[in-house]
Amino acid sequence: MSRERPGRGPAWHVDAEPAARYAAGTAAESDAWSVEKHVEACGTCAALVSSAARAVPETGPLLAGIRAAVLEQVAAEGLPERAAEARRAVDSPAYAGGPEGPAYGNAGAAASTTASPRTTASPAARASTGESPAAHAAPTTNPPADAHASAPHTTAAGATGVSPRLSRAARVLWAAGPALRGAWAVALGVVVLGALGLSYGAGLGASVRPLLLVTAPVLPLAGVALSYGRHADPLYEVVTSTPSGGLRLLLVRAAAVLGVSVPALTLAGAALPPAAGGPGAAAWLLPGLALTLAALALGSFVGSRRGAAAVGGAWALFVVAPATVGGPAGAALMAGAAPYFSGPAVQSGWAAGALACALLLAARRRSFDHLETP
C-alpha cells in the first residue's frame, strides 16, 4: 500500500496487489479491514478495488448480475433518468480501468466544470477578440422562490442537522445489535422492575430473589438469539461476507447484551431482601456465562436462534422445573434452586463448562463465516 499526501486526507492508498488479494479473499483480516475503511473516503481506491473484484471469475458475473438487477428495478420503478445515471457511473473508465482511467486524470477538471459550468475568458483574451468586458459579466438574476426551501439546511452539526456526538452514539447503539433496540431490552426492564415491585410493592419480600435467580441466567440467551442471524439483521448476507461479520460481530453483540443484562440483574438482585441461607445476588453470573457460551457454541451447528432456544429449554427442563417442585416461591424455591448455584464446587463446575464451551466456539469459529440455513 502506497503512502501519499501527508496531512491531506488518507496517508496511504491501496495498490493493485492488496486490492487483488482483497478481491480474491486472501488478504489478512487486518489488511481487509484497512481496505474497507479506506475506500469509504477514497473514490480512487474504491474504483481500483471494484475493478479487482470484477476481474475475479467467481465474483465478476455475480456483481454484473446484481448490477443488472438493480438497474432493472430502478427502471421498473419509473426512474429512467436515475437508472441511466447509475449505468453511466458504473460504466465509466474509472471503474473499467482503475485509477489510470481518464476519469481520474480529469477529476479536478470535471469537478471544476460541475461546480462552475460557465467558463469566463481572461480580460486580455476578450480585448484581443474585441469583446466587451460587460459581455462576460455574471448575470444578476434572482434565485427561484423555492430555492431556499429546496436547499439542504446546513448547521454547525453538518448537512444532516444531527450532532456528530449524537450520530456517533446512534451508530454505536445500532452496531450493538437488534437486541438492544427491540423488545428484549424492554423485557429486561420489565423483569428488573417487576422483581423490585413484587418484593417491595406487593410485600413478597425475600421470596422474590429465588425467582430472579433462576430467571436471570436465561435472559441473556434471548438477547443473543436476537442479535445475529438472517431473522435479526436485514443485511445479514452482506455483513457475513465482510471481515467484520461472522463470529467477531456475534461476540461484539453478545458482549453488548451481557454488558446491559449483567449489571441490571445483579443490582436488582442486590436490592432485593436477602433470603436466609440462599445464594448471593451474583451467584447467577457463572451459570449465565456458561449458558451464553453454550448457546453460541451450539449456534455454530444449528444457528443462533435455535441454539439459544435449545439451551434455554434445557435450563427450564432440568433446573427450573425441579426447583419449583416444592412451590413457585419462597423457601421451597430457594431450597430447590440452591444446589445449582451455591458452593465452590458448583461454581467451579459452571466455570469449567464455560471454558469448554469457549474452546468449542473457538474451534468452530469458521462456521459463522457461512450463511445460516433457513
Side-chain angles (χ1 to χ4, degrees), residues 9-282:
W12 59 273
H13 290 279
V14 182
D15 294 333
E17 182 181 354
R21 289 201 305 268
Y22 176 83
T26 58
E29 189 171 358
S30 58
D31 292 341
W33 274 53
S34 299
V35 169
E36 289 184 350
K37 185 63 179 177
H38 177 76
V39 298
E40 292 178 0
C42 182
T44 302
C45 295
L48 177 62
V49 174
S50 175
S51 298
R54 295 202 288 175
V56 177
E58 292 79 6
T59 59
L62 177 62
L63 293 175
I66 294 175
R67 168 181 171 272
V70 170
L71 294 176
E72 181 181 354
Q73 181 66 26
V74 172
E77 292 177 356
L79 302 173
E81 296 84 0
R82 187 169 297 178
E85 181 181 351
R87 190 182 305 275
R88 288 194 299 269
V90 178
D91 289 338
S92 66
Y95 284 90
E100 293 77 9
Y104 289 102
N106 300 328
S112 62
T113 302
T114 304
S116 179
R118 188 171 182 268
T119 304
T120 303
S122 65
R126 294 197 300 268
S128 63
T129 57
E131 293 181 336
S132 170
H136 290 271
T140 57
T141 57
N142 292 327
D146 59 343
H148 295 286
S150 61
H153 178 63
T154 302
T155 66
T160 61
V162 180
S163 169
R165 182 175 301 177
L166 179 61
S167 61
R168 178 176 177 82
R171 289 196 300 269
V172 171
L173 180 61
W174 184 266
L180 300 186
R181 307 189 304 266
W184 177 83
V186 178
L188 178 64
V190 169
V191 169
V192 170
L193 296 178
L196 295 175
L198 289 175
S199 180
Y200 294 101
L204 297 181
S207 62
V208 179
R209 175 172 279 195
L211 284 174
L212 183 63
L213 192 65
V214 298
T215 305
V218 296
L219 282 177
L221 296 181
V224 171
L226 295 173
S227 294
Y228 193 77
R230 64 174 66 252
H231 60 281
D233 196 340
L235 296 178
Y236 167 70
E237 290 81 2
V238 176
V239 171
T240 304
S241 63
T242 65
S244 59
L247 181 60
R248 180 188 293 269
L249 181 60
L250 177 57
L251 291 178
V252 168
R253 291 181 173 178
V257 168
L258 292 176
V260 173
S261 59
V262 167
L265 294 172
T266 303
L267 291 176
L272 295 176

Side-chain angles (χ1 to χ4, degrees), residues 1 36 53 61 78-79 109 123 223 242 247 287 291 305 335 346 355:
M1 297 182 182
E36 289 184 350
L79 302 173
T242 65
L247 181 60
L291 293 182
R305 184 167 57 176
V346 175
L355 179 60

Side-chain angles (χ1 to χ4, degrees), residues 275-301:
W284 72 274
L285 291 179
L286 278 177
L289 178 62
L291 293 182
T292 301
L293 289 173
L296 293 175
L298 185 58
S300 67
F301 295 95

